Amino acid sequence: MHHRAPAPSRRTLLTVTAAAAAAAVTGVTAPVAHANDDRRLQRIIDRMSLEEKVGQLFVMRVYGHSATAPDQADIDANLAEIGVRTAAELVERYHVGGVIYFSWAHNTRDPQQIAALSNGIQRAALAQPTPVPVLISTDQEHGIVCRVGKPATLLPGAMALGAGGSHADARKAAQIAGEELAAVGIRQNYAPVADVNVNPANPVIGVRSFGSDPQAVAGLVAAQVKGYQRAGVAATSKHFPGHGDTAVDSHYGLPTITHTREQWAELDAPPFRSAIAAGIDSIMTAHIVVPALDPSEDPATLSRPILTGILREQLGYDGVVVTDSLGMEGVRTKYGDERVPVLALKAGVDQLLNPPRLDVAWNAVLKAVKDGELTEARLDESILRILRLKAKLGLFRQAYATRAGVDRVIGTDAHLAHADRIAEATTTLLLNEDGFLPLSPASHRSVLVVGADPASPSGTTGPPTTTLATALTELGFTATAVSTGITPTAAKIEEAVAAAAGKDVVLVGTYNVSATSPQRTLVARLVATGVPVVTIAIRNPYDVARLGGQRAALAAYSWTDVELRAAVRVLAGRARPRGRLPVPVQNADDPTKVLYPVGYGLSYAR
């Protein structure tokens, strides 16, 4: 029987040692102070009920823009999926230690609303019998994965930063992103991606990776870790032990990585080692099987040899380990939803992220402790790591965001100018026949923009064809846009061909062109009109290998406004192309042949 100890005093809960306060600024915790602080945190843990302890381990989604008064549709979704009406009820019933924000869960409408939601969640947490602030997280990788949109500053994603190659820019981008997240109460960011994208067919990582060179990725990961943590946000390297060489998306299946242990050490491990050396606060697991690291073929999220044997013992990591979403198919293929959280804790995980059914997962952990499969001491070990992180971030001192802080930090002119400058250094020029670029309004005033218009990563930008046309018009061109889509129909292709008549140039935004993609037909038909064609890859840079006849080709690595506008400035000669490929582009028909190697990128003649 677990008896609740007397509630701790506010002084106990809200006091953080000077060393912990310094750690929030410097990112370094002195061992002596660490022990001193641990004693304070342990006293909080000792006062928790078993139910509160179990709750601290979970990071859960919740629908709604408000912690107490969400829209009725969000109340209905919460009741159906979680059995509570609101975020405040989620905290009250399950004592969750973390909440994750998603745009599709309607958590991220605008900065002041996000800050108010964060504050409502914290008020609910600090009203608990054992008041402990919640660690609020999100996936704000930038580029193609972005939950908080305009008016927040949107920055280039990982592969774009890889093309820029500047550690200073990568660090600055993370610091800006971190400052803006912290201002709205989001204090754990599931970035940077530490996966090394050595497989061009990777369906889930791609441009979310800094590149294919382990050492280059390692340097950029360390830079971003320092940037985020300098801003008071816990960075999270993902997806351990490395999701870069897979042809299966772990959202929908269970990928197997066939690297030997030696290959893993050479290709996948360096960015994680680098993150740990940089003082990374949390590391996210991958739902992948790596037989060379664990012959049982359990997904890494549930693998004690991988998480404890390699990550904790071999790499010496003692920070927070968070699972990737437990709702993803990759972690659910082998065991039932009630076994997954228990096995993850036994493997060495601290935070259990977003289970499909919280009641099932929460009760399974509770039962495992009561049945003796998990000890309470094992829970305490993870809770101490989580509370250490909350203390380091200063949440025990100040859990709340402020309206003034939001106004002072979000989307400032200085941040936006930095984003434009950083993006400009990432645009990569791959092909420029006879010096066709840069374009001038004097010689190529009339521009048709066609191509793919994928949905905005944050719901606040685009569509890409319109963004490109607007940016060209602002630079003195006369540009019109025709959205032809990712899989253009015959009718759309005819519309684009007709619209090209009389134009001086056609700009085509391409999106992950495959061998059978009708985007190839679109480009071929436009080339056949005789109007010069320029292509711009708005996601993976491999498109150029499947297209022919264009006069010039650029890679932008994402379709967010900041990257597209930068590409247009390069196109028009307002900026020179400085990006260099962070991945090789192979011949589409013979992958053993490299068309454009790592480090390739053209410049304009001065």
Side-chain angles (χ1 to χ4, degrees):
M1 182 74 183
H2 186 96
H3 296 285
R4 185 192 298 282
S9 71
R10 288 277 160 178
R11 177 172 299 218
T12 303
L13 289 167
L14 299 176
T15 300
V16 173
T17 63
V25 178
T26 64
V28 177
T29 307
V32 177
H34 203 16
N36 199 12
D37 206 36
D38 280 359
R39 283 194 291 274
R40 295 176 184 275
L41 298 174
Q42 190 60 53
R43 285 201 290 273
I44 299 172
I45 297 169
D46 291 344
R47 289 173 170 87
M48 288 182 183
S49 67
L50 178 57
E51 289 76 11
E52 285 176 313
K53 288 184 178 185
V54 170
Q56 273 301 308
L57 305 173
F58 283 94
V59 182
M60 190 59 185
R61 70 189 178 281
V62 64
Y63 291 88
H65 71 286
S66 160
T68 53
D71 295 341
Q72 188 59 48
D74 292 324
I75 291 173
D76 294 343
N78 286 329
L79 286 169
E81 291 186 23
I82 317 171
V84 298
R85 294 163 48 84
T86 66
E89 283 182 22
L90 167 69
V91 173
E92 188 182 347
R93 179 175 304 179
Y94 288 104
H95 319 293
V96 292
V99 170
I100 179 172
Y101 287 171
F102 292 103
S103 40
W104 53 257
H106 311 134
N107 305 138
T108 57
R109 287 182 182 176
D110 66 75
Q112 291 291 1
Q113 166 270 318
I114 300 168
L117 172 61
S118 299
N119 288 346
I121 289 169
Q122 298 296 8
R123 270 192 294 276
L126 296 177
Q128 293 293 293
T130 310
V132 176
V134 166
L135 188 53
I136 295 169
S137 61
T138 199
D139 293 286
Q140 188 82 345
E141 297 173 15
H142 286 277
I144 72 164
V145 176
C146 202
R147 311 299 188 207
V148 180
K150 288 180 176 179
T153 305
L154 298 176
L155 293 139
M159 194 171 284
L161 292 171
S166 164
H167 289 185
D169 282 356
R171 184 168 55 250
K172 186 67 179 178
Q175 187 173 343
I176 289 169
E179 287 172 0
E180 297 199 8
L181 289 174
V184 297
I186 298 170
R187 302 300 297 277
Q188 182 178 26
N189 189 22
Y190 298 135
V193 170
D195 303 315
V196 181
N197 202 71
V198 293
N199 186 345
N202 193 322
V204 64
I205 305 301
V207 291
R208 297 169 62 197
S209 163
F210 291 105
S212 63
D213 177 85
Q215 299 308 322
V217 173
L220 291 162
V221 164
Q224 289 230 297
V225 168
K226 288 171 182 166
Y228 280 118
Q229 295 184 183
R230 184 178 293 172
V233 166
T236 309
S237 294
K238 61 188 186 184
H239 307 79
F240 189 82
H243 209 315
D245 190 5
T246 170
V248 175
D249 184 340
S250 52
H251 290 84
Y252 309 107
L254 180 58
T256 296
I257 306 282
T258 56
H259 291 179
T260 64
R261 190 171 273 262
E262 293 70 32
Q263 286 174 317
W264 173 81
E266 184 186 334
L267 290 173
D268 302 294
F272 291 101
R273 289 184 185 278
S274 175
I276 293 166
I280 188 79
D281 281 325
S282 48
I283 289 178
M284 181 179 282
T285 68
H287 304 324
I288 56 172
V289 167
V290 191
L293 304 184
D294 181 357
S296 78
E297 302 203 0
D298 279 342
T301 298
L302 310 181
S303 166
R304 187 167 177 83
I306 291 174
L307 298 186
T308 296
I310 295 175
L311 181 56
R312 296 273 190 223
E313 294 168 2
Q314 188 182 320
L315 300 187
Y317 176 66
D318 192 37
V320 169
V321 173
V322 56
T323 69
D324 204 343
S325 169
L326 297 181
M328 290 165 60
E329 202 54 41
V331 78
R332 303 173 73 192
T333 55
K334 194 169 174 181
Y335 301 99
D337 289 340
E338 73 289 346
R339 291 302 298 153
V340 165
V342 175
L343 293 172
L345 290 169
K346 291 174 83 166
V349 156
D350 302 306
Q351 288 185 307
L352 300 160
L353 176 63
N354 209 19
R357 288 285 306 277
L358 180 57
D359 58 341
V360 170
W362 192 88
N363 283 307
V365 175
L366 194 65
K367 183 176 186 296
V369 177
K370 288 178 175 174
D371 290 352
E373 186 181 3
L374 286 170
T375 64
E376 207 164 329
R378 169 66 192 88
L379 267 55
D380 291 357
E381 198 181 301
S382 284
I383 296 165
L384 181 59
R385 288 195 190 100
I386 293 163
L387 295 192
R388 268 183 200 150
L389 180 50
K390 291 178 179 183
K392 177 183 171 182
L393 295 171
L395 286 168
F396 286 99
R397 283 181 291 115
Q398 176 52 274
Y400 298 110
T402 65
R403 291 190 69 85
V406 171
D407 290 340
R408 189 174 63 250
V409 173
I410 299 292
T412 64
D413 289 346
H415 283 183
L416 295 171
H418 277 301
D420 282 338
R421 178 189 59 76
I422 292 167
E424 220 165 68
T426 69
T427 305
T428 308
L429 180 62
L430 298 174
L431 178 68
N432 193 21
E433 280 193 358
D434 303 322
F436 183 71
L437 297 183
L439 296 178
S440 157
S443 55
H444 294 89
R445 176 176 293 277
S446 180
V447 184
L448 172 66
V449 181
V450 303
D453 275 333
S456 165
S458 63
T460 62
T461 67
T465 53
T466 303
T467 299
L468 291 165
T470 302
L472 283 162
T473 301
E474 287 169 358
L475 295 182
F477 297 85
T478 304
T480 53
V482 175
S483 177
T484 49
I486 293 170
T487 51
T489 61
K492 274 290 174 192
I493 292 171
E494 293 306 327
E495 184 185 344
V497 168
K503 296 291 190 289
D504 296 319
V505 65
V506 180
L507 178 62
V508 186
T510 66
Y511 182 99
N512 291 8
V513 179
S514 67
T516 57
S517 172
Q519 291 178 76
R520 298 181 75 185
T521 309
L522 171 70
V523 171
R525 289 289 308 281
L526 288 167
V527 167
T529 65
V531 178
V533 171
V534 176
T535 60
I536 174 169
I538 64 172
R539 186 166 175 171
N540 289 347
Y542 311 113
D543 293 359
V544 67
R546 295 200 181 275
L547 301 169
Q550 68 268 48
R551 300 290 298 277
L554 301 106
Y557 307 100
S558 176
W559 60 97
T560 51
D561 291 9
V562 68
E563 283 158 296
L564 297 180
R565 288 197 315 267
V568 167
R569 290 197 296 280
V570 168
L571 199 69
R574 301 297 179 94
R576 57 190 180 86
R578 287 180 284 151
R580 299 290 179 263
L581 278 175
V583 291
V585 173
Q586 294 149 330
N587 185 303
D589 301 317
D590 181 3
T592 62
K593 292 181 181 167
V594 173
L595 286 180
Y596 303 108
V598 170
Y600 182 88
L602 300 175
S603 298
Y604 294 148
R606 288 195 175 278

Short mmCIF file of all heavy atoms in Angstrom, two decimals, residues 267-319:
data_model
loop_
_atom_site.label_atom_id
_atom_site.label_comp_id
_atom_site.label_asym_id
_atom_site.label_seq_id
_atom_site.Cartn_x
_atom_site.Cartn_y
_atom_site.Cartn_z
N LEU A 267 28.64 5.34 -39.17
CA LEU A 267 27.65 6.14 -39.89
C LEU A 267 26.62 6.81 -38.98
O LEU A 267 26.28 7.97 -39.18
CB LEU A 267 26.89 5.26 -40.90
CG LEU A 267 27.65 4.76 -42.12
CD1 LEU A 267 26.80 3.78 -42.90
CD2 LEU A 267 28.02 5.94 -43.01
N ASP A 268 26.08 6.06 -38.03
CA ASP A 268 24.92 6.53 -37.25
C ASP A 268 25.28 7.16 -35.91
O ASP A 268 24.59 8.05 -35.43
CB ASP A 268 23.96 5.36 -37.00
CG ASP A 268 23.48 4.72 -38.28
OD1 ASP A 268 22.77 5.39 -39.03
OD2 ASP A 268 23.81 3.54 -38.53
N ALA A 269 26.34 6.66 -35.29
CA ALA A 269 26.65 7.08 -33.92
C ALA A 269 27.23 8.49 -33.80
O ALA A 269 26.95 9.18 -32.81
CB ALA A 269 27.60 6.06 -33.27
N PRO A 270 28.07 8.97 -34.76
CA PRO A 270 28.76 10.24 -34.52
C PRO A 270 27.87 11.42 -34.12
O PRO A 270 28.20 12.15 -33.18
CB PRO A 270 29.50 10.49 -35.85
CG PRO A 270 29.80 9.11 -36.35
CD PRO A 270 28.56 8.31 -36.00
N PRO A 271 26.70 11.64 -34.78
CA PRO A 271 25.89 12.79 -34.35
C PRO A 271 25.35 12.66 -32.92
O PRO A 271 25.20 13.67 -32.22
CB PRO A 271 24.75 12.82 -35.37
CG PRO A 271 25.29 12.10 -36.57
CD PRO A 271 26.16 11.02 -36.00
N PHE A 272 25.06 11.43 -32.49
CA PHE A 272 24.57 11.24 -31.12
C PHE A 272 25.70 11.44 -30.11
O PHE A 272 25.49 12.05 -29.06
CB PHE A 272 23.91 9.86 -30.97
CG PHE A 272 22.62 9.75 -31.73
CD1 PHE A 272 22.55 9.10 -32.96
CD2 PHE A 272 21.45 10.33 -31.24
CE1 PHE A 272 21.36 9.02 -33.67
CE2 PHE A 272 20.26 10.26 -31.94
CZ PHE A 272 20.21 9.61 -33.17
N ARG A 273 26.88 10.94 -30.45
CA ARG A 273 28.05 11.19 -29.58
C ARG A 273 28.29 12.71 -29.46
O ARG A 273 28.57 13.23 -28.38
CB ARG A 273 29.31 10.54 -30.18
CG ARG A 273 29.34 9.02 -30.10
CD ARG A 273 30.69 8.51 -30.62
NE ARG A 273 30.76 7.07 -30.70
CZ ARG A 273 31.04 6.27 -29.67
NH1 ARG A 273 31.27 6.80 -28.47
NH2 ARG A 273 31.09 4.97 -29.82
N SER A 274 28.17 13.39 -30.59
CA SER A 274 28.39 14.83 -30.64
C SER A 274 27.34 15.57 -29.81
O SER A 274 27.65 16.53 -29.08
CB SER A 274 28.33 15.28 -32.10
OG SER A 274 28.43 16.66 -32.22
N ALA A 275 26.09 15.13 -29.90
CA ALA A 275 25.01 15.74 -29.12
C ALA A 275 25.26 15.57 -27.63
O ALA A 275 25.08 16.50 -26.84
CB ALA A 275 23.67 15.12 -29.51
N ILE A 276 25.68 14.37 -27.25
CA ILE A 276 25.96 14.09 -25.83
C ILE A 276 27.12 14.97 -25.34
O ILE A 276 27.05 15.57 -24.27
CB ILE A 276 26.24 12.59 -25.62
CG1 ILE A 276 24.96 11.77 -25.88
CG2 ILE A 276 26.77 12.31 -24.21
CD1 ILE A 276 25.19 10.28 -26.04
N ALA A 277 28.16 15.07 -26.17
CA ALA A 277 29.31 15.91 -25.79
C ALA A 277 28.91 17.38 -25.66
O ALA A 277 29.48 18.12 -24.86
CB ALA A 277 30.42 15.77 -26.83
N ALA A 278 27.89 17.79 -26.44
CA ALA A 278 27.42 19.19 -26.40
C ALA A 278 26.46 19.43 -25.23
O ALA A 278 26.00 20.55 -25.04
CB ALA A 278 26.74 19.55 -27.72
N GLY A 279 26.14 18.36 -24.46
CA GLY A 279 25.28 18.52 -23.29
C GLY A 279 23.80 18.38 -23.59
O GLY A 279 22.97 18.99 -22.92
N ILE A 280 23.45 17.56 -24.57
CA ILE A 280 22.05 17.38 -24.96
C ILE A 280 21.17 17.01 -23.76
O ILE A 280 21.55 16.21 -22.92
CB ILE A 280 21.93 16.29 -26.07
CG1 ILE A 280 20.52 16.21 -26.65
CG2 ILE A 280 22.37 14.92 -25.58
CD1 ILE A 280 20.20 17.28 -27.63
N ASP A 281 19.99 17.62 -23.69
CA ASP A 281 19.08 17.40 -22.56
C ASP A 281 18.21 16.15 -22.72
O ASP A 281 17.82 15.54 -21.74
CB ASP A 281 18.15 18.61 -22.39
CG ASP A 281 18.84 19.77 -21.69
OD1 ASP A 281 19.67 19.50 -20.80
OD2 ASP A 281 18.55 20.92 -22.03
N SER A 282 17.84 15.83 -23.97
CA SER A 282 17.01 14.64 -24.16
C SER A 282 17.31 14.00 -25.51
O SER A 282 17.76 14.67 -26.44
CB SER A 282 15.51 14.97 -24.02
OG SER A 282 15.14 16.11 -24.76
N ILE A 283 17.10 12.70 -25.57
CA ILE A 283 17.32 11.94 -26.80
C ILE A 283 16.06 11.11 -27.06
O ILE A 283 15.53 10.48 -26.14
CB ILE A 283 18.57 11.04 -26.68
CG1 ILE A 283 19.84 11.90 -26.70
CG2 ILE A 283 18.62 9.99 -27.81
CD1 ILE A 283 21.14 11.14 -26.53
N MET A 284 15.59 11.13 -28.32
CA MET A 284 14.39 10.39 -28.69
C MET A 284 14.76 9.07 -29.36
O MET A 284 15.69 9.02 -30.16
CB MET A 284 13.52 11.22 -29.64
CG MET A 284 12.23 10.52 -30.07
SD MET A 284 11.20 11.53 -31.17
CE MET A 284 10.45 12.65 -29.99
N THR A 285 14.00 8.04 -29.02
CA THR A 285 14.26 6.70 -29.58
C THR A 285 13.62 6.56 -30.95
O THR A 285 12.72 7.31 -31.33
CB THR A 285 13.67 5.63 -28.66
OG1 THR A 285 12.23 5.73 -28.69
CG2 THR A 285 14.15 5.77 -27.24
N ALA A 286 14.07 5.54 -31.69
CA ALA A 286 13.50 5.20 -32.99
C ALA A 286 12.77 3.88 -32.91
O ALA A 286 13.22 2.95 -32.24
CB ALA A 286 14.62 5.10 -34.03
N HIS A 287 11.65 3.80 -33.61
CA HIS A 287 10.93 2.53 -33.72
C HIS A 287 11.50 1.76 -34.92
O HIS A 287 10.87 1.62 -35.97
CB HIS A 287 9.44 2.76 -33.93
CG HIS A 287 8.78 3.61 -32.88
ND1 HIS A 287 9.14 3.57 -31.56
CD2 HIS A 287 7.78 4.52 -32.97
CE1 HIS A 287 8.37 4.42 -30.88
NE2 HIS A 287 7.56 5.01 -31.71
N ILE A 288 12.74 1.31 -34.75
CA ILE A 288 13.42 0.57 -35.82
C ILE A 288 14.10 -0.65 -35.20
O ILE A 288 14.44 -0.66 -34.02
CB ILE A 288 14.49 1.43 -36.53
CG1 ILE A 288 15.50 1.98 -35.51
CG2 ILE A 288 13.85 2.57 -37.32
CD1 ILE A 288 16.70 2.69 -36.13
N VAL A 289 14.27 -1.67 -36.03
CA VAL A 289 14.98 -2.88 -35.60
C VAL A 289 16.41 -2.80 -36.15
O VAL A 289 16.61 -2.53 -37.34
CB VAL A 289 14.27 -4.14 -36.14
CG1 VAL A 289 15.14 -5.37 -35.99
CG2 VAL A 289 12.94 -4.34 -35.41
N VAL A 290 17.38 -3.01 -35.27
CA VAL A 290 18.79 -3.05 -35.69
C VAL A 290 19.38 -4.37 -35.17
O VAL A 290 19.91 -4.42 -34.05
CB VAL A 290 19.59 -1.85 -35.15
CG1 VAL A 290 20.96 -1.79 -35.82
CG2 VAL A 290 18.84 -0.54 -35.36
N PRO A 291 19.27 -5.45 -35.95
CA PRO A 291 19.70 -6.77 -35.46
C PRO A 291 21.14 -6.81 -34.96
O PRO A 291 21.44 -7.53 -34.01
CB PRO A 291 19.50 -7.67 -36.68
CG PRO A 291 18.46 -7.00 -37.50
CD PRO A 291 18.70 -5.53 -37.30
N ALA A 292 22.02 -6.00 -35.56
CA ALA A 292 23.42 -6.01 -35.12
C ALA A 292 23.58 -5.46 -33.70
O ALA A 292 24.53 -5.81 -33.01
CB ALA A 292 24.28 -5.20 -36.09
N LEU A 293 22.65 -4.61 -33.29
CA LEU A 293 22.72 -4.03 -31.95
C LEU A 293 21.86 -4.79 -30.94
O LEU A 293 22.12 -4.74 -29.74
CB LEU A 293 22.29 -2.56 -31.98
CG LEU A 293 23.05 -1.63 -32.93
CD1 LEU A 293 22.56 -0.19 -32.77
CD2 LEU A 293 24.55 -1.72 -32.73
N ASP A 294 20.82 -5.46 -31.43
CA ASP A 294 19.96 -6.27 -30.57
C ASP A 294 19.35 -7.39 -31.39
O ASP A 294 18.39 -7.18 -32.13
CB ASP A 294 18.85 -5.40 -29.95
CG ASP A 294 17.94 -6.21 -29.02
OD1 ASP A 294 18.14 -7.44 -28.90
OD2 ASP A 294 17.03 -5.62 -28.41
N PRO A 295 19.93 -8.61 -31.26
CA PRO A 295 19.46 -9.73 -32.08
C PRO A 295 18.02 -10.16 -31.80
O PRO A 295 17.43 -10.90 -32.57
CB PRO A 295 20.45 -10.85 -31.76
CG PRO A 295 21.20 -10.42 -30.55
CD PRO A 295 21.10 -8.93 -30.46
N SER A 296 17.41 -9.69 -30.68
CA SER A 296 16.02 -10.06 -30.38
C SER A 296 15.06 -9.46 -31.40
O SER A 296 13.91 -9.87 -31.51
CB SER A 296 15.62 -9.56 -29.00
OG SER A 296 15.34 -8.17 -29.04
N GLU A 297 15.53 -8.45 -32.16
CA GLU A 297 14.73 -7.74 -33.15
C GLU A 297 13.54 -7.01 -32.54
O GLU A 297 12.50 -6.83 -33.18
CB GLU A 297 14.32 -8.66 -34.31
CG GLU A 297 15.53 -9.28 -35.00
CD GLU A 297 15.28 -9.73 -36.43
OE1 GLU A 297 14.15 -9.58 -36.92
OE2 GLU A 297 16.23 -10.22 -37.05
N ASP A 298 13.69 -6.59 -31.29
CA ASP A 298 12.73 -5.65 -30.70
C ASP A 298 13.04 -4.27 -31.27
O ASP A 298 14.20 -3.95 -31.54
CB ASP A 298 12.88 -5.59 -29.18
CG ASP A 298 12.19 -6.75 -28.48
OD1 ASP A 298 11.31 -7.39 -29.12
OD2 ASP A 298 12.50 -7.01 -27.30
N PRO A 299 12.00 -3.42 -31.45
CA PRO A 299 12.29 -2.05 -31.87
C PRO A 299 13.17 -1.36 -30.83
O PRO A 299 13.09 -1.65 -29.62
CB PRO A 299 10.91 -1.39 -31.96
CG PRO A 299 9.95 -2.30 -31.30
CD PRO A 299 10.55 -3.66 -31.29
N ALA A 300 14.03 -0.45 -31.27
CA ALA A 300 15.00 0.19 -30.38
C ALA A 300 14.32 0.82 -29.16
O ALA A 300 14.88 0.82 -28.06
CB ALA A 300 15.79 1.24 -31.15
N THR A 301 13.12 1.34 -29.35
CA THR A 301 12.36 1.96 -28.25
C THR A 301 12.15 0.98 -27.09
O THR A 301 12.04 1.40 -25.94
CB THR A 301 10.99 2.45 -28.78
OG1 THR A 301 11.24 3.45 -29.78
CG2 THR A 301 10.11 3.03 -27.69
N LEU A 302 12.11 -0.31 -27.40
CA LEU A 302 11.82 -1.34 -26.39
C LEU A 302 13.05 -2.21 -26.11
O LEU A 302 12.92 -3.27 -25.49
CB LEU A 302 10.66 -2.22 -26.85
CG LEU A 302 9.40 -1.49 -27.33
CD1 LEU A 302 8.32 -2.50 -27.74
CD2 LEU A 302 8.86 -0.56 -26.25
N SER A 303 14.23 -1.75 -26.55
CA SER A 303 15.43 -2.59 -26.48
C SER A 303 16.36 -2.16 -25.36
O SER A 303 16.98 -1.09 -25.42
CB SER A 303 16.17 -2.53 -27.82
OG SER A 303 17.47 -3.06 -27.68
N ARG A 304 16.49 -2.99 -24.36
CA ARG A 304 17.43 -2.69 -23.27
C ARG A 304 18.89 -2.71 -23.76
O ARG A 304 19.68 -1.83 -23.38
CB ARG A 304 17.23 -3.67 -22.11
CG ARG A 304 18.05 -3.29 -20.88
CD ARG A 304 17.65 -4.04 -19.62
NE ARG A 304 18.55 -3.67 -18.52
CZ ARG A 304 18.40 -2.58 -17.78
NH1 ARG A 304 17.39 -1.76 -18.00
NH2 ARG A 304 19.26 -2.31 -16.81
N PRO A 305 19.28 -3.67 -24.63
CA PRO A 305 20.67 -3.63 -25.14
C PRO A 305 21.00 -2.31 -25.85
O PRO A 305 22.14 -1.83 -25.76
CB PRO A 305 20.72 -4.81 -26.11
CG PRO A 305 19.69 -5.75 -25.62
CD PRO A 305 18.59 -4.90 -25.07
N ILE A 306 20.02 -1.71 -26.53
CA ILE A 306 20.28 -0.47 -27.27
C ILE A 306 20.21 0.75 -26.35
O ILE A 306 21.12 1.58 -26.33
CB ILE A 306 19.31 -0.33 -28.46
CG1 ILE A 306 19.63 -1.39 -29.53
CG2 ILE A 306 19.37 1.07 -29.06
CD1 ILE A 306 18.66 -1.45 -30.70
N LEU A 307 19.14 0.86 -25.56
CA LEU A 307 18.94 2.08 -24.76
C LEU A 307 19.79 2.10 -23.50
O LEU A 307 20.33 3.15 -23.13
CB LEU A 307 17.47 2.26 -24.41
CG LEU A 307 16.51 2.43 -25.60
CD1 LEU A 307 15.11 2.75 -25.11
CD2 LEU A 307 17.00 3.51 -26.55
N THR A 308 19.90 0.96 -22.83
CA THR A 308 20.73 0.94 -21.61
C THR A 308 22.16 0.53 -21.96
O THR A 308 23.11 1.21 -21.58
CB THR A 308 20.11 -0.01 -20.57
OG1 THR A 308 18.83 0.52 -20.18
CG2 THR A 308 20.98 -0.11 -19.32
N GLY A 309 22.30 -0.58 -22.71
CA GLY A 309 23.63 -1.08 -23.02
C GLY A 309 24.47 -0.11 -23.82
O GLY A 309 25.63 0.16 -23.49
N ILE A 310 23.89 0.46 -24.89
CA ILE A 310 24.67 1.34 -25.76
C ILE A 310 24.54 2.81 -25.35
O ILE A 310 25.53 3.48 -25.08
CB ILE A 310 24.26 1.15 -27.24
CG1 ILE A 310 24.61 -0.27 -27.71
CG2 ILE A 310 24.95 2.19 -28.13
CD1 ILE A 310 24.15 -0.61 -29.10
N LEU A 311 23.30 3.32 -25.28
CA LEU A 311 23.12 4.75 -25.03
C LEU A 311 23.58 5.15 -23.63
O LEU A 311 24.35 6.09 -23.46
CB LEU A 311 21.66 5.13 -25.24
CG LEU A 311 21.31 6.61 -25.06
CD1 LEU A 311 22.15 7.50 -25.95
CD2 LEU A 311 19.81 6.84 -25.32
N ARG A 312 23.12 4.43 -22.62
CA ARG A 312 23.47 4.80 -21.25
C ARG A 312 24.91 4.39 -20.90
O ARG A 312 25.71 5.21 -20.45
CB ARG A 312 22.52 4.11 -20.26
CG ARG A 312 21.07 4.55 -20.37
CD ARG A 312 20.79 5.77 -19.54
NE ARG A 312 19.36 6.04 -19.46
CZ ARG A 312 18.83 7.25 -19.58
NH1 ARG A 312 19.60 8.30 -19.79
NH2 ARG A 312 17.53 7.43 -19.47
N GLU A 313 25.23 3.10 -21.14
CA GLU A 313 26.49 2.58 -20.63
C GLU A 313 27.66 2.86 -21.57
O GLU A 313 28.71 3.35 -21.15
CB GLU A 313 26.35 1.08 -20.34
CG GLU A 313 25.37 0.82 -19.18
CD GLU A 313 24.96 -0.64 -19.04
OE1 GLU A 313 25.47 -1.49 -19.82
OE2 GLU A 313 24.12 -0.94 -18.16
N GLN A 314 27.49 2.56 -22.86
CA GLN A 314 28.60 2.74 -23.79
C GLN A 314 28.84 4.21 -24.12
O GLN A 314 29.99 4.68 -24.12
CB GLN A 314 28.31 1.95 -25.08
CG GLN A 314 29.49 1.90 -26.05
CD GLN A 314 29.12 1.14 -27.33
OE1 GLN A 314 28.44 0.11 -27.29
NE2 GLN A 314 29.54 1.66 -28.47
N LEU A 315 27.77 4.97 -24.39
CA LEU A 315 27.92 6.38 -24.74
C LEU A 315 27.91 7.30 -23.52
O LEU A 315 28.16 8.49 -23.64
CB LEU A 315 26.84 6.81 -25.74
CG LEU A 315 26.80 6.05 -27.08
CD1 LEU A 315 25.80 6.68 -28.02
CD2 LEU A 315 28.17 5.99 -27.73
N GLY A 316 27.58 6.75 -22.35
CA GLY A 316 27.67 7.52 -21.11
C GLY A 316 26.61 8.60 -20.96
O GLY A 316 26.83 9.60 -20.29
N TYR A 317 25.44 8.39 -21.55
CA TYR A 317 24.38 9.40 -21.51
C TYR A 317 23.49 9.19 -20.29
O TYR A 317 22.97 8.10 -20.07
CB TYR A 317 23.54 9.32 -22.79
CG TYR A 317 22.37 10.27 -22.79
CD1 TYR A 317 22.58 11.65 -22.81
CD2 TYR A 317 21.07 9.79 -22.78
CE1 TYR A 317 21.50 12.52 -22.82
CE2 TYR A 317 19.99 10.67 -22.79
CZ TYR A 317 20.22 12.03 -22.80
OH TYR A 317 19.16 12.89 -22.81
N ASP A 318 23.30 10.25 -19.49
CA ASP A 318 22.43 10.13 -18.32
C ASP A 318 21.31 11.16 -18.33
O ASP A 318 20.72 11.47 -17.30
CB ASP A 318 23.25 10.25 -17.02
CG ASP A 318 22.41 9.83 -15.80
OD1 ASP A 318 21.61 8.88 -15.94
OD2 ASP A 318 22.53 10.48 -14.75
N GLY A 319 21.01 11.72 -19.50
CA GLY A 319 19.89 12.66 -19.61
C GLY A 319 18.58 11.93 -19.83
O GLY A 319 18.48 10.71 -19.67
#
